[in-house]
C-alpha cells in the first residue's frame, strides 16, 4: 500500500465536499435541535459550540447535556457518553483496508460519524489510493462545520425559528433517521440484507411498544446482525456441496 504522507489533494478535497453536501439535510436540523436544547438546559452559546466542536456526536451530545442539566455525576456522564460512541470501534476496522498510510489519519478520525462512515465505506474503494485522504478530509470537514453552524443557529435563534414555523419542531427530530434511511437503502442489494433490515425494524418497534426504549437500538441491531449471518450459513453450505455453484 503506497504511503500518501502528503497534504490532501485539492481536487480530492473538492470531490469530498461535493459528495457530502446531501448529508447537510440531516446534520443541520439535528444540530439546530441540539443548540436549542442545550441553551434551554442552561448552557451558554459558547459552551454549546464547544460541545459540538469537541464531542461532535449527536446522540452523545444530547445525553451529555441532559445528564449535566439533571445533576448527574460527571464521571457517569463521561462514561455513558463514551459508551454510546463505542460503535466507532467497529467502524474503524471496516474502513482500514481502504486507508492508505498517512500521518493525517489520527487528526481526520475526529470527523468520523455514522454518516461519514457510511459514505466513506461505499466511496473509498472506488477512489485511487492517492485521493482517499483528500476526499475524506473534504467530506468530514464539511460535515463538522455544518454541525457547528447548525448548533450555533439553534443556540442563537432556535426558539425564534420554532415559534415562527411550529412545524419545524415536528420535522427536525426525523431529519437524522431519514438521513440514515437514505444511506442504508442503497446497501440493500439482496434478500438477505432486506430480511436483516426487516428483523431489525420489527425488533425496534416491539421494544418501543413495550416500553423498552433504552435497549431497543442495540437489541434491534443485534437481531439484524444475527439474522444476516444465520441466513448466510446455509447458503454457503449449499454452495460448497454443489461444487462451487453460483451464490446469490
Amino acid at each position: 500500500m503506497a504511503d500518501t504522507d502528503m497534504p490532501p489533494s485539492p481536487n480530492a478535497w473538492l470531490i469530498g465536499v461535493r459528495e457530502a453536501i446531501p448529508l447537510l439535510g440531516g446534520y443541520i436540523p439535528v444540530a439546530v435541535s441540539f443548540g436549542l436544547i442545550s441553551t434551554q438546559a442552561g448552557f451558554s452559546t459558547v459552551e454549546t459550540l464547544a460541545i459540538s466542536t469537541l464531542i461532535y456526536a449527536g446522540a452523545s451530545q444530547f445525553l451529555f447535556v441532559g445528564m449535566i442539566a439533571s445533576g448527574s455525576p460527571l464521571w457517569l456522564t463521561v462514561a455513558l457518553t463514551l459508551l454510546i460512541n463505542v460503535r466507532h470501534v467497529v467502524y474503524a476496522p471496516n474502513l482500514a483496508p481502504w486507508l492508505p498510510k498517512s500521518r493525517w489519519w489520527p487528526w481526520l478520525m475526529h470527523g468520523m460519524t455514522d454518516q461519514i462512515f457510511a459514505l466513506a465505506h461505499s466511496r473509498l474503494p472506488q477512489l485511487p489510493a492517492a485521493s482517499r485522504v483528500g476526499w475524506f478530509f473534504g467530506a468530514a470537514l464539511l460535515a463538522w462545520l455544518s454541525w457547528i453552524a447548525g448548533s450555533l443557529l439553534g443556540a442563537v435563534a432556535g426558539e425564534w425559528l420554532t415559534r415562527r414555523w411550529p412545524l419545524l419542531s415536528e420535522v427536525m427530530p426525523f431529519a437524522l433517521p431519514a438521513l440514515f434511511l437514505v444511506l442504508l437503502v442503497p446497501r440493500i442489494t439482496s434478500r438477505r440484507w432486506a430480511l436483516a433490515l426487516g428483523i431489525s425494524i420489527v425488533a425496534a418497534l416491539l421494544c418501543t411498544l413495550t416500553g423498552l426504549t433504552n435497549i431497543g437500538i442495540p437489541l434491534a441491531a443485534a437481531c439484524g446482525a444475527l439474522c444476516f449471518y444465520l441466513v448466510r450459513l446455509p447458503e454457503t453450505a449449499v454452495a460448497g456441496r454443489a461444487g462451487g455453484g453460483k451464490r446469490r
Side-chain angles (χ1 to χ4, degrees):
M1 189 177 290
D3 192 326
T4 58
D5 235 3
M6 298 290 291
S9 165
N11 290 336
W13 180 84
L14 291 174
I15 294 172
V17 169
R18 186 181 68 231
E19 294 183 349
I21 288 175
L23 300 180
L24 304 190
Y27 270 60
I28 293 178
V30 180
V32 171
S33 298
F34 170 74
L36 175 59
I37 290 173
S38 179
T39 53
Q40 289 177 340
F43 289 84
S44 68
T45 300
V46 173
E47 290 170 337
T48 298
L49 288 179
I51 293 171
S52 285
T53 301
L54 300 176
I55 298 180
Y56 185 41
S60 297
Q61 290 182 212
F62 284 100
L63 176 70
F64 180 85
V65 165
M67 293 188 70
I68 292 294
S70 64
S72 300
L74 181 60
W75 69 267
L76 181 60
T77 302
V78 172
L80 290 179
T81 300
L82 292 174
L83 181 62
I84 289 180
N85 285 329
V86 77
R87 66 189 185 278
H88 287 219
V89 175
V90 179
Y91 291 167
N94 281 277
L95 285 185
W98 313 112
L99 304 183
K101 294 179 181 178
S102 173
R103 67 175 183 270
W104 294 94
W105 287 120
W107 302 99
L108 294 178
M109 283 302 101
H110 181 63
M112 174 70 75
T113 62
D114 301 318
Q115 295 77 23
I116 291 296
F117 166 77
L119 188 60
H121 192 264
S122 61
R123 283 295 287 130
L124 288 182
Q126 303 170 3
L127 296 170
S131 300
R132 291 172 188 168
V133 177
W135 181 92
F136 191 95
F137 175 78
L141 182 64
L142 178 66
W144 186 44
L145 292 179
S146 70
W147 182 263
I148 295 172
S151 299
L152 176 61
L153 179 61
V156 173
E159 292 188 2
W160 178 82
L161 288 172
T162 53
R163 283 199 306 268
R164 185 168 181 81
W165 294 288
L167 185 60
L168 283 177
S169 59
E170 302 294 331
V171 172
M172 286 192 296
F174 186 69
L176 198 57
L179 179 58
F180 275 113
L181 287 175
V182 170
L183 293 171
L184 178 64
V185 168
R187 304 293 296 178
I188 304 174
T189 56
S190 68
R191 294 179 181 177
R192 191 162 45 130
W193 274 108
L195 180 61
L197 177 61
I199 293 294
S200 298
I201 293 173
V202 171
L205 287 175
L206 289 176
C207 288
T208 301
L209 293 175
T210 54
L212 301 175
T213 52
N214 291 332
I215 199 175
I217 292 178
L219 182 61
C223 289
L226 183 63
C227 170
F228 183 84
Y229 286 107
L230 285 179
V231 170
R232 182 180 183 180
L233 291 176
E235 291 182 357
T236 303
V238 170
R241 288 195 298 268
K246 185 177 179 181
R247 292 177 60 189
R248 287 181 293 177

